[in-house]
C-alpha cells in the first residue's frame, strides 16, 4: 500500500458506531493490511499491526520508532497514523472502550469517574497538531558524548488531525477549585503497573492549572486521530494532547486527572524531559539533585528545522547545471509561528530565504500548532562553491537555532543548525558530481555510509575498533569469578529472567542482568533477547560505542 493510499485510508472519516464496542485487540485486526510485523511476534505487543518501514530505535520491544525522512515528508502535511512516531516505555496495555474510565479528582468540587461513552458526548474539536519527541535529533548529541537516552533522528516528529474534548471543559464539569483555594497544577497519568519504575508503575506528569484552563492552548483529551479512534500505540482509547509541548507531556492511555497544589510527584515527571547544563552528567545530577530543580523542566518545543533533501548519501551529477530544490520541515512550540527558514551555501557568510509552505490557519487566539514545509531552489553548480549546506529557522518570538550543538545529559531539545556535508563524487563511469552526508542518520549509520558526526566520533580508531580491537579487548577481558570460558547454547538459553539475563553477540556470551535498569531503551529490550543470539538485532540499532561497552558484560564464549 502506497503512502497516498495510507493517507486516504486513515482520514476518510470516523468508523461505524459499532467499532466503539470493539476492544483494541479486535480493533487492530481491521487496521492496515500490513498485519502483525514478525518483529513483534514473540513480544507482548504481538497483537498490534505496525508499518514495516518504521525505524525501530530500541530493538523489537518496547516500540520506539520514527519514519525515514523521505517517507515522512513524502506523505505530506498530514502524517499517516501508521508512520507517526511512537514512544513507548513498556508493553502497550490492552484497554477496552466499554470498561475504561477516567477518574477526575483532587481539588475539585465534584469528583468524576467518566466512561468513554460519557466523554464523547462533550463538545469536541478537531485540530491539526505536530507531535514531537524532546529527543528529536538526539543521535547527534550521542555522537559527541553518550547521553542517557537512545538515538532519535530528525524523524521523531509527525503531524495529524486530533479530535477530543478540551481539558478545561472537563475540569469545569468537575468543579475545579481556584488558585486561591490551593489549586495550581493538573496532574495526570496512565495505567498503574504499566512500568517498572516509580511507586505505582505509571507514567505521569503535570501542567499548570493556568495552562490547562486557558482555552487558547487547545489541550485535549483526544480519542481520535485522522478521523479514526486512536490506535493502541497512540493511546487508545484516550490520551492527553497538548499542542506546542513536547511529546513527553502527552500521556497515553489516560486514566486519572488530579488537581493539586504541587506539581506531579511521578517518577517520570522528575527523571525525564529535562535539559540540564552541559557540565552535569548522570552521576552529578543524582548527587546534587538536579532532577528536582524546576528551572530545567521542558514543556514547550523550541524552534527546529531539518532538511530531507538532499537525502543522506544522495548523489547529484555535475554533467549539467540544473535547478535543484532543497527541502525540509520546521516547527516551533508555544503556539508561535515559524516566520522564516534560511539556507547557507557559504559557511554562514550569507543566507538565502526559503519558501515556507504553511498548511494550517491559526486558531481563534492566533496560535499555530503545526510544522511547515520549506524549499529553496538552487543550481547544481552552486554546490561547487561550498562544503556544506546549513539550515536554520526563526519563529515569531525571534527565537533562532544556535550554530553550535550543546550536549546535555538527556540529549534533549537539540536544535543546532542542520548541517549537510558535501563531498566530491565520481561514479563508476567517471561522471563527476557530489555526494551529500547528513549528520547522524538513523536508518543507515553503518561503515561506508555513516553520518558525518558519526565519522568524526570514530575518526581516529573507527576501523580498528570495529574490525580488530573490540574482539581483542573482549578476548582479554577479565571474567567474573567462577565463570566458564565456554558455554553451550543450552546453558545460555536458561538465563532469560530479570535475575539472570544472558545473550549472545558474535559468538560471545554476555550477562546483561546488571544493565537492565540502566538500559536507555528499557530492560525489556534486553530481556526479550535473553538466552538468544542477539547479534543481528544488536548490530541493527547500536553504535560502535555501545559495542565497546559489551566488554564490561562479557563472561565467555559460545561453544562452536
Amino acid at each position: 500500500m502506497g503512502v497516498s493510499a495510507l493517507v486516504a485510508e486513515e482520514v476518510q472519516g470516523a468508523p461505524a458506531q459499532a467499532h466503539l464496542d470493539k476492544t483494541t485487540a479486535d480493533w487492530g485486526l481491521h487496521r492496515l493490511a500490513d498485519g502483525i510485523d514478525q518483529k513483534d511476534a514473540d513480544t507482548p505487543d504481538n497483537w498490534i499491526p505496525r508499518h514495516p518501514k518504521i525505524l525501530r530505535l530500541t530493538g523489537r520491544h518496547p516500540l520506539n520508532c520514527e519514519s525515514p525522512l523521505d517517507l515522512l515528508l513524502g506523505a505530506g502535511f498530514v502524517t499517516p497514523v501508521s508512520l507517526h512516531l511512537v514512544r513507548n516505555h513498556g508493553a502497550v496495555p490492552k484497554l477496552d472502550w466499554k470498561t475504561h474510565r477516567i477518574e477526575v479528582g483532587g481539588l475539585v468540587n465534584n469528583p468524576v469517574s467518566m466512561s468513554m461513552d460519557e466523554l464523547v458526548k462533550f463538545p469536541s474539536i478537531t485540530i491539526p497538531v505536530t507531535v514531537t519527541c524532546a529527543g528529536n535529533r538526539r543521535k547527534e548529541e550521542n555522537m559527541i558524548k553518550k547521553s542517557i537516552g537512545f538515538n532519535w533522528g530528525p524523524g521523531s516528529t509527525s503531524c495529524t488531525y486530533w479530535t477530543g474534548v478540551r481539558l478545561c471543559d472537563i475540569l469545569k464539569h468537575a468543579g475545579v477549585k481556584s488558585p486561591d483555594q490551593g489549586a495550581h497544577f493538573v496532574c495526570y497519568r496512565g495505567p498503574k503497573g504499566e512500568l517498572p519504575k516509580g511507586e505505582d508503575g505509571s507514567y505521569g506528569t503535570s501542567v499548570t492549572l493556568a495552562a490547562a484552563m486557558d482555552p487558547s492552548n487547545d489541550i485535549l483529551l483526544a480519542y481520535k486521530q485522522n478521523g479514526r479512534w486512536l490506535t493502541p500505540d497512540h493511546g487508545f482509547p484516550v490520551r492527553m494532547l497538548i499542542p506546542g509541548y513536547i511529546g513527553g507531556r502527552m500521556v497515553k492511555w489516560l486514566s486519572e486527572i488530579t488537581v493539586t497544589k504541587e506539581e506531579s510527584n511521578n517518577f517520570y515527571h522528575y527523571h525525564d524531559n529535562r535539559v540540564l547544563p552541559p557540565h552535569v552528567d548522570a552521576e552529578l545530577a543524582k548527587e546534587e539533585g538536579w532532577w528536582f530543580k524546576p528551572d530545567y523542566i521542558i514543556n514547550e518545543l523550541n524552534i527546529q528545522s531539518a532538511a530531507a533533501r538532499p537525502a543522506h548519501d544522495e548523489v547529484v551529477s555535475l554533467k549539467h547545471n540544473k535547478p535543484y530544490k532543497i527541502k525540509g520541515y520546521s516547527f516551533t512550540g508555544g503556539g508561535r509561528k515559524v516566520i522564516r527558514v534560511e539556507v547557507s551555501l557559504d559557511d554562514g557568510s550569507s543566507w538565502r530565504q526559503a519558501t515556507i509552505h504553511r498548511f494550517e490557519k491559526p486558531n481563534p487566539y492566533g496560535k499555530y500548532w503545526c510544522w511547515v514545509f520549506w524549499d529553496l531552489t538552487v543550481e547544481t553548480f552552486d554546490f561547487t562553491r561550498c562544503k556544506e549546506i546549513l539550515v536554520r529557522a526563526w519563529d515569531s518570538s525571534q527565537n533562532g537555532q544556535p550554530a553550535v550543538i550543546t550536549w546535555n545529559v538527556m540529549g534533549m531539545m537539540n536544535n543546532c543548525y542542520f548541517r549537510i556535508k558535501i563531498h566530491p563524487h565520481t561514479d563508476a563511469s567517471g561522471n563527476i558530481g557530489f555526494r551529500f552526508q547528513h549528520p547522524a542518520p538513523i536508518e543507515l549509520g553503518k561503515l561506508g555510509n555513516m553520518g558525518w558526526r558519526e565519522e568524526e566520533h570514530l575518526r581516529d580508531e573507527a576501523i580498528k575498533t570495529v574490525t580488530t580491537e573490540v574482539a581483542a579487548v573482549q578476548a582479554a577481558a577479565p571474567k567474573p569469578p567462577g565463570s566458564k570460558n565456554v558455554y553451550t547454547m543450552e546453558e545460555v538459553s536458561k538465563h532469560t529472567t530479570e535475575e539472570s539475563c544472558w545473550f549472545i553477540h558474535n559468538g560471545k556470551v554476555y550477562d546483561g542482568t546488571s544493565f537492565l535498569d540502566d538500559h536507555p531503551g528499557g530492560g525489556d529490550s534486553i530481556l526479550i533477547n535473553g538466552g538468544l543470539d542477539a547479534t543481528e538485532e544488536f548490530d541493527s540499532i547500536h553504535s560502535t560505542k555501545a559495542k565497546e561497552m559489551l566488554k564490561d558484560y562479557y563472561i565467555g564464549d559460545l561453544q562452536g
Side-chain angles (χ1 to χ4, degrees):
M1 183 181 293
V3 170
S4 59
L6 287 173
V7 174
E9 190 249 355
E10 292 183 348
V11 299
Q12 61 185 341
Q17 183 68 24
H19 288 189
L20 285 171
D21 298 327
K22 296 290 187 180
T23 64
T24 45
D26 292 333
W27 181 89
L29 295 177
H30 54 75
R31 278 299 293 151
L32 300 177
D34 302 309
I36 305 300
D37 194 318
Q38 286 303 304
K39 297 184 182 70
D40 296 312
D42 58 351
T43 77
D45 294 344
N46 59 8
W47 53 283
I48 305 173
R50 288 166 174 163
H51 199 288
K53 291 189 178 181
I54 56 174
L55 304 172
R56 295 174 181 245
L57 309 177
T58 55
R60 289 178 292 157
H61 182 79
L63 180 66
N64 292 288
C65 72
E66 61 183 85
S67 291
L69 273 184
D70 59 342
L71 194 61
L72 185 64
L73 270 66
F77 170 65
V78 180
T79 306
V81 173
S82 57
L83 297 179
H84 195 285
L85 78 108
V86 176
R87 174 68 172 107
N88 289 342
H89 290 78
V92 176
K94 292 184 178 181
L95 302 180
D96 192 308
W97 181 282
K98 287 183 177 180
T99 60
H100 186 72
R101 304 191 75 82
I102 306 164
E103 308 294 332
V104 184
L107 296 175
V108 298
N109 294 316
N110 306 302
V112 176
S113 178
M114 186 179 300
S115 70
M116 289 304 301
D117 285 335
E118 291 170 330
L119 177 66
V120 299
K121 291 178 181 178
F122 280 79
S124 66
I125 63 170
T126 297
I127 54 174
V129 177
T130 292
V131 174
T132 303
C133 180
N136 189 53
R137 295 179 62 188
R138 179 189 284 145
K139 186 177 179 182
E140 296 177 47
E141 293 202 40
N142 282 342
M143 295 303 101
I144 297 172
K145 178 182 177 182
K146 184 68 179 71
S147 72
I148 61 175
F150 60 83
N151 289 336
W152 284 104
S156 57
T157 182
S158 309
C159 186
T160 54
Y161 278 88
W162 299 87
T163 301
V165 177
R166 292 183 187 275
L167 174 60
C168 60
D169 289 342
I170 298 300
L171 294 174
K172 290 175 184 176
H173 176 72
V176 62
K177 294 182 183 295
S178 69
D180 291 341
Q181 296 171 298
H184 296 289
F185 290 91
V186 179
C187 304
Y188 47 97
R189 63 163 178 80
K192 291 182 178 180
E194 174 195 357
L195 302 173
K197 295 181 180 180
E199 292 183 2
D200 62 6
S202 70
Y203 184 95
T205 186
S206 60
V207 296
T208 65
L209 179 62
M213 296 303 294
D214 186 346
S216 74
N217 289 332
D218 289 332
I219 301 179
L220 302 182
L221 276 65
Y223 48 81
K224 284 184 180 179
Q225 188 178 13
N226 282 355
R228 295 195 170 199
W229 310 116
L230 296 179
T231 65
D233 275 327
H234 296 295
F236 179 91
V238 61
R239 69 176 295 167
M240 195 68 77
L241 195 284
I242 311 181
Y245 271 40
I246 62 170
R249 302 286 169 233
M250 306 187 197
V251 171
K252 297 189 288 189
W253 315 298
L254 183 65
S255 301
E256 184 177 276
I257 300 172
T258 308
V259 181
T260 61
K261 181 179 180 179
E262 306 291 342
E263 64 182 305
S264 172
N265 62 0
N266 188 276
F267 175 89
Y268 294 94
H269 178 75
Y270 282 106
H271 292 87
D272 204 349
N273 299 311
R274 308 253 161 177
V275 172
L276 304 182
H279 75 278
V280 180
D281 59 17
E283 184 176 353
L284 190 63
K286 184 176 181 180
E287 289 178 357
E288 298 185 356
W290 283 90
W291 300 119
F292 302 95
K293 297 184 179 185
D295 290 344
Y296 300 100
I297 192 171
I298 318 166
N299 283 315
E300 294 180 357
L301 291 164
N302 53 3
I303 181 70
Q304 178 69 278
S305 67
R309 187 174 190 247
H312 178 70
D313 260 1
E314 180 180 342
V315 173
V316 170
S317 172
L318 286 177
K319 189 173 183 179
H320 302 288
N321 189 24
K322 295 182 177 180
Y324 182 92
K325 189 169 287 188
I326 304 172
K327 298 180 179 181
Y329 71 73
S330 179
F331 60 77
T332 189
R336 297 179 291 274
K337 181 181 182 180
V338 177
I339 61 170
R340 73 181 195 262
V341 179
E342 301 174 336
V343 178
S344 176
L345 298 178
D346 57 9
D347 199 30
S349 295
S350 63
W351 295 86
R352 308 186 191 190
Q353 292 281 112
T355 299
I356 292 177
H357 302 278
R358 202 179 312 278
F359 304 94
E360 66 167 327
K361 295 180 179 179
N363 75 3
Y365 303 90
K367 293 187 175 182
Y368 292 83
W369 303 131
C370 298
W371 61 7
V372 299
F373 289 176
W374 57 266
D375 58 54
L376 174 70
T377 300
V378 299
E379 302 294 322
T380 51
F381 283 7
D382 287 342
F383 297 131
T384 64
R385 294 185 286 272
C386 59
K387 294 182 179 179
E388 62 181 355
I389 301 170
L390 307 183
V391 180
R392 69 182 184 185
W394 301 80
D395 68 22
S396 53
S397 292
Q398 295 304 316
N399 298 308
Q401 294 176 246
V404 180
I405 192 170
T406 300
W407 183 89
N408 66 86
V409 69
M410 294 208 73
M412 289 187 164
M413 304 292 273
N414 172 34
N415 71 331
C416 63
Y417 293 176
F418 195 82
R419 296 174 179 264
I420 300 176
K421 301 288 187 182
I422 304 175
H423 305 286
H425 178 82
T426 304
D427 65 19
S429 301
N431 296 315
I432 298 173
F434 288 106
R435 179 179 68 86
F436 298 96
Q437 186 182 30
H438 282 216
I442 290 293
E443 61 266 44
L444 299 168
K446 299 179 181 179
L447 280 178
N449 57 8
M450 285 183 171
W452 62 264
R453 286 199 187 274
E454 293 173 278
E455 288 187 351
E456 286 185 354
H457 175 65
L458 299 171
R459 179 170 293 160
D460 294 332
E461 51 186 345
I463 302 300
K464 292 181 181 179
T465 300
V466 173
T467 58
T468 59
E469 290 188 5
V470 168
V473 170
Q474 290 172 343
K479 300 173 179 58
S483 67
K484 298 181 179 179
N485 288 324
V486 178
Y487 296 94
T488 66
M489 190 67 216
E490 182 179 2
E491 288 177 296
V492 175
S493 66
K494 295 177 181 179
H495 296 266
T496 61
T497 68
E498 292 181 356
E499 288 71 35
S500 181
C501 182
W502 295 6
F503 62 91
I504 299 164
H505 181 267
N506 283 337
K508 297 186 179 298
V509 181
Y510 300 89
D511 183 351
T513 311
S514 62
F515 194 57
L516 292 176
D517 289 339
D518 298 326
H519 188 251
D524 285 347
S525 298
I526 301 177
L527 284 169
I528 203 167
N529 289 289
L532 303 175
D533 190 326
T535 303
E536 182 177 353
E537 180 164 353
F538 187 95
D539 288 347
S540 69
I541 63 172
H542 286 88
S543 66
T544 301
K545 186 171 183 178
K547 295 174 185 177
E548 293 173 354
M549 290 174 62
L550 282 176
K551 65 179 181 293
D552 297 330
Y553 304 92
Y554 171 74
I555 59 174
D557 294 336
L558 183 68
Q559 187 177 68

